[in-house]
Amino acid sequence: MTKVLNTYNLTKKYGSLQVLKEVSLEIEKGSVFGLLGPNGSGKTTTLGIILDIIPQNKGTYEWFGQAPTNLSRKKIGAIVETPNFYGYLSAERNLMISAEIKEAPYSDIERVLKIVDLFDRRKDKFKTFSLGMKQRLSIAAALLGNPEVLVLDEPTNGLDPQGIAEIRNIILKVAKQGITIILASHMLDEVEKVCSHVAIIKKGALLVQGKVDEILGETYLLELKADNMEELHIAIKEFAMVVDVKLELDKYIVKLSKKISNGEINKYFFSKGIALTHLASRKKNLEMQFLEITN
């Protein structure tokens, strides 16, 4: 696949505080790339550098296989901070101003408003919009001129569940058009739902990057419960295929070294005199892997 962005050992310091430590990323064309980490991990700083907003102390980066130029920047739409729209102007008029700044045609405004589902509200003043609608309008502004790459910094921050779902659907819709999306977030569940690739950053250091399914890997997890939880715990620890066990609320979460059928699981515990009251397979999610990696 063609690489849209490469960074090489990006490093950033503010005095004695090091916020990025030699971060090297590879982002493929057409991917939805999640830059994942807790607040203060260096995600926004990374985006600021690749968008030429913040100067790095060390390292380089390339857009589309070459050093950044004015031409390559025109291929990138971005939302890094709260968008500066005029509250007393309509959504359409605000986008006209954005189009003038980006040298994009006014004819593109209808297209982007329809993508973010705000066409019917185009004549309404920005100040009447909900937080989710304001964020969707900012995505519309970033999409003006039909960029090849869309960069979003915490696009669902502060939104209610409905607003989060709306932004998620827009991201998936845009990705289907072949636009590469670079998304910084600390919301693991949302990243897992929309991203094809992910990089995990902690305290400015890159811990891992790759396809989401490869990072999750083949992991076999079970949820187990019985009337006598103490006896169940002992039997679990005696089971040869168990790699790890922990109590989560009222059930044990058991990691196995290889896949085994529920019938074999039941047979083993029955032989120990234990009747399971709950048995379920569980898929490893990004949150679990994130906690393992960052710890």
Side-chain angles (χ1 to χ4, degrees):
M1 262 190 171
T2 306
K3 298 292 188 296
V4 166
L5 174 69
N6 289 83
T7 73
Y8 306 98
N9 302 315
L10 289 184
T11 300
K12 180 64 180 177
K13 291 183 178 181
Y14 291 102
S16 60
L17 178 64
Q18 186 162 22
V19 293
L20 274 190
K21 305 172 186 177
E22 300 188 346
V23 172
S24 298
L25 300 171
E26 290 187 355
I27 299 179
E28 298 177 350
K29 182 178 180 180
S31 63
V32 182
F33 190 98
L35 198 57
L36 186 60
N39 291 330
S41 60
K43 304 185 302 295
T44 298
T45 300
T46 302
L47 297 187
I49 291 172
I50 64 174
L51 293 171
D52 203 24
I53 299 170
I54 302 170
Q56 68 270 35
N57 296 112
K58 191 177 83 171
T60 59
Y61 62 95
E62 294 177 347
W63 281 108
F64 312 103
Q66 59 183 18
T69 63
N70 287 334
L71 182 61
S72 65
R73 291 186 188 98
K74 288 183 178 180
K75 298 179 181 179
I76 304 162
I79 308 170
V80 178
E81 297 178 350
T82 304
N84 293 319
F85 290 122
Y86 295 99
Y88 60 90
L89 294 179
S90 69
E92 188 175 51
R93 185 69 187 102
N94 272 299
L95 288 185
M96 289 173 71
I97 295 171
S98 296
E100 289 171 9
I101 294 170
K102 298 180 72 172
E103 299 179 351
Y106 287 169
S107 58
D108 203 27
I109 292 174
E110 180 179 338
R111 179 185 69 88
V112 298
L113 281 171
K114 287 181 176 178
I115 289 174
V116 301
D117 198 25
L118 285 175
F119 184 71
D120 292 342
R121 299 290 303 270
R122 65 191 183 281
K123 301 296 184 183
D124 295 347
K125 291 181 180 180
F126 179 72
K127 66 182 179 182
T128 67
F129 282 10
S130 67
L131 182 60
M133 292 169 66
K134 290 176 178 178
Q135 190 68 338
R136 281 151 56 196
L137 188 65
S138 66
I139 294 176
L143 289 171
L144 284 168
N146 202 22
E148 294 184 28
V149 181
L150 182 63
V151 180
L152 304 173
D153 186 20
E154 300 281 4
T156 59
N157 217 12
L159 300 185
D160 60 20
Q162 181 180 342
I164 291 171
E166 289 168 348
I167 297 297
R168 182 199 312 142
N169 290 336
I170 290 169
I171 290 170
L172 294 172
K173 188 191 300 184
V174 170
K176 285 181 180 178
Q177 298 176 7
I179 296 174
T180 305
I181 298 174
I182 302 171
L183 165 69
S185 180
H186 66 279
M187 298 180 68
L188 293 91
D189 184 51
E190 286 306 308
V191 168
E192 187 172 6
K193 287 176 181 175
V194 300
C195 291
S196 59
H197 296 68
V198 69
I200 296 176
I201 294 181
K202 181 182 180 182
K203 294 181 180 178
L206 177 65
L207 302 184
V208 66
Q209 69 176 313
K211 292 182 179 180
V212 172
D213 54 359
E214 290 176 356
I215 288 175
L216 293 178
E218 284 274 8
T219 304
Y220 308 105
L221 297 173
L222 294 173
E223 296 178 358
L224 299 177
K225 188 177 175 182
D227 289 334
N228 191 323
M229 294 293 280
E230 289 184 12
E231 287 185 8
L232 176 61
H233 190 217
I234 294 169
I236 289 171
K237 291 195 293 183
E238 291 175 351
F239 193 36
M241 295 180 191
V242 171
V243 176
D244 185 46
V245 58
K246 63 180 180 180
L247 184 64
E248 188 176 285
L249 297 177
D250 62 342
K251 61 180 74 72
Y252 285 110
I253 308 302
V254 181
K255 183 192 292 186
L256 301 177
S257 59
K258 67 176 185 178
K259 192 172 184 178
I260 185 171
S261 71
N262 287 353
E264 291 175 279
I265 294 288
N266 263 318
K267 184 178 179 181
Y268 167 77
F269 285 104
F270 189 76
S271 71
K272 295 287 184 177
I274 297 170
L276 295 174
T277 58
H278 176 82
L279 168 59
S281 299
R282 180 193 282 193
K283 181 183 177 183
K284 192 172 190 179
N285 60 25
L286 194 55
E287 181 178 2
M288 296 168 69
Q289 185 69 341
F290 176 84
L291 292 172
E292 285 187 19
I293 292 170
T294 54
N295 287 333

